[in-house]
Amino acid sequence: MSLEDHRRVPIAEPAIGEEERERVREVLDSGMIADGEEVRTFEREFATTCHVDHGVATSNGTTALHTALRACGIGEGDTVVTTPFSFVATANAVRFCGAEPVFADIERDSYALSVDSVQDRITADTAGIVPVHFAGDVAAEIRALRRLADENGLFLLEDAAHSLGASAYGTPAGSFGDAATFSFAFNKIVTTGQGGMIVTDDASLADSVRTFRTQGRNGEGTYETWGLNLVMSSIHAAIGVAQMSKLDEFVERRRQMKRRYDAHLSDVPDVETPTTAPDRESVHFLYNVSFEDTDTRRSLQTYLADDGIPTKVYYRPVHLREYYRREFGYDEGALPVTERVSSSILTLPFHLNLSDDDLQHIGERVSAFFA
């Protein structure tokens, strides 16, 4: 197949089938399109997958983060240690609680929070730690972060938006912290279009987030406090239930795709491909390659774009975003490992609608650039 004949591929795309359409039709025919039984089913199945007692669905991943942080007691005057190597929603949710996100550096190999850097940033004002499970893996030092939180009387909230189905030491993502949050945006491991989930073993915390997401209404129907309308609709949940039934299939396909990319790229001297530690099972949400310098990355992006292959940088450091620089005085050099990784990493197209031919074509074009 010539380059001219090969289709242009998107960087990300949802995998929606007839099961999702049928579930949505059933909800529409039932007339209960708001917060109905499909939501409860989705919550129960999701909690079971994460090996926890409670799942609470919300309108999106950011509202899940905000609601979970609030239930953990975060408010004005608190600080929360988190990673700058994430989507800005993680830090924004802390700010929405009135607290300050304090950014710790990451590890070069895993892209996850460095325990030593987190420890250096714990003060009397610190209330919790929010690690991010990046790119479909579980944060490399999640057990050490759990111990550090316990030793200092802090909560541990997992931002697991990338990592539904991943595990470490045989334990699923979402079951290491006091709570965890997930996102169901269009490009996630499973999607509902928009949606989020909070999972926890803590019954009191689960009750708190359920109450807050329904305008302060508790299980008895009493408006015991103030809250917001952050519920998931049954239409969205119906898509989620259908997607969850295919989770194992989705994860296995992602692992196959990762192996196909590796076959083309692992032996290219100038390309560093992603690896997974032996004690982990990744779901490979993103396929990231990295290089020695930013100029190489920029040239490769242009080369691939000219061939109809989009790429993206996940992520640019949050502490160097305009708001956080202005508000908290961060500047370049503050978190050197994060900044170095961000300047060299590049995400290739990686979603379930890519065919083996697509993966081969992309892999061959990256190899050809370096050849």
Side-chain angles (χ1 to χ4, degrees):
M1 179 180 292
S2 69
L3 297 182
E4 291 76 14
D5 292 336
H6 200 90
R7 74 183 185 100
R8 291 180 176 268
V9 298
I11 187 75
E13 194 173 58
I16 301 295
E18 185 55 35
E19 300 91 339
E20 288 83 354
R21 295 180 177 88
E22 181 58 31
R23 281 278 188 176
V24 170
R25 281 192 289 266
E26 290 174 2
V27 169
L28 293 174
D29 290 344
S30 76
M32 178 54 75
I33 64 174
D35 184 18
E37 185 53 36
E38 287 287 338
V39 180
R40 306 288 85 76
T41 299
F42 187 34
E43 290 173 332
R44 286 193 299 270
E45 293 182 358
F46 201 92
T48 298
T49 297
C50 294
H51 296 186
V52 297
D53 292 336
H54 305 279
V56 184
T58 66
S59 52
N60 58 61
T62 306
T63 58
L65 279 165
H66 167 235
T67 305
L69 286 164
R70 186 181 179 279
C72 289
I74 295 305
E76 295 282 349
D78 291 328
T79 65
V80 175
V81 182
T82 189
T83 173
F85 196 59
S86 176
F87 185 48
V88 72
T90 310
N92 283 351
V94 175
R95 288 300 292 141
F96 196 41
C97 291
E100 176 185 344
V102 173
F103 298 109
D105 215 345
I106 62 173
E107 295 181 334
R108 172 62 185 85
D109 293 335
S110 70
Y111 306 154
L113 273 176
S114 159
V115 175
D116 289 342
S117 185
V118 171
Q119 189 159 25
D120 288 345
R121 283 154 179 78
I122 293 174
T123 70
D125 294 328
T126 306
I129 305 169
V130 183
V132 171
H133 299 322
F134 177 72
D137 207 346
V138 174
E141 296 294 337
I142 190 64
R143 281 179 166 176
L145 289 170
R146 172 76 274 178
R147 288 193 297 270
L148 186 62
D150 291 342
E151 290 166 1
N152 289 275
L154 311 176
F155 72 81
L156 184 73
L157 175 65
E158 302 168 64
D159 182 339
H162 292 187
S163 294
L164 173 62
S167 64
Y169 327 107
T171 301
S175 58
F176 291 92
D178 298 284
T181 64
F182 293 82
S183 168
F184 309 123
F186 81 97
N187 62 334
K188 295 302 188 290
I189 302 297
V190 303
T191 184
T192 62
Q194 280 285 5
M197 186 76 72
I198 301 160
V199 297
T200 184
D201 280 326
D202 186 328
S204 177
L205 191 151
D207 286 343
S208 177
V209 297
R210 288 191 188 101
T211 298
F212 185 72
R213 67 151 187 196
T214 51
Q215 303 282 17
R217 188 182 68 233
N218 64 20
E220 286 72 48
T222 300
Y223 289 86
E224 63 178 33
T225 184
W226 72 279
L228 299 171
N229 178 8
L230 307 175
V231 297
M232 175 182 284
S233 77
S234 287
I235 295 173
H236 290 87
I239 300 171
V241 171
Q243 291 260 298
M244 287 296 290
S245 72
K246 297 184 277 189
L247 177 60
D248 290 344
E249 172 191 337
F250 286 172
V251 170
E252 180 53 35
R253 175 55 182 162
R254 286 179 174 275
R255 289 171 178 162
Q256 292 173 0
M257 291 166 59
K258 197 263 185 186
R259 289 193 292 268
R260 286 188 175 274
Y261 265 153
D262 285 350
H264 288 284
L265 301 176
S266 292
D267 294 332
V268 179
D270 298 303
V271 178
E272 182 181 328
T273 56
T275 59
T276 304
D279 56 7
R280 281 168 168 66
E281 293 288 339
S282 176
V283 293
H284 306 299
F285 172 61
L286 303 172
Y287 190 92
N288 295 301
V289 290
S290 61
F291 317 98
E292 284 299 318
D293 59 82
T294 305
D295 289 342
T296 300
R297 182 179 71 183
R298 187 181 302 112
S299 298
L300 176 61
Q301 283 191 279
T302 301
Y303 177 84
L304 294 176
D306 289 344
D307 197 27
I309 300 171
T311 57
K312 194 166 183 178
V313 176
Y314 287 100
Y315 290 101
R316 301 189 187 279
V318 177
H319 70 286
L320 297 182
R321 297 289 188 177
E322 293 79 1
Y323 170 78
Y324 289 98
R325 292 182 74 147
R326 183 177 68 247
E327 189 73 10
F328 299 109
Y330 285 102
D331 209 344
E332 292 181 10
L335 299 168
V337 180
T338 299
E339 293 167 34
R340 176 73 183 95
V341 167
S342 181
S343 70
S344 63
I345 200 168
L346 186 66
T347 301
L348 301 180
F350 200 75
H351 55 84
L352 296 175
N353 295 329
L354 292 173
S355 67
D356 288 348
D357 283 346
D358 292 329
L359 297 169
Q360 178 175 339
H361 173 67
I362 296 166
E364 288 176 347
R365 298 316 297 156
V366 175
S367 298
F369 171 83
F370 288 98

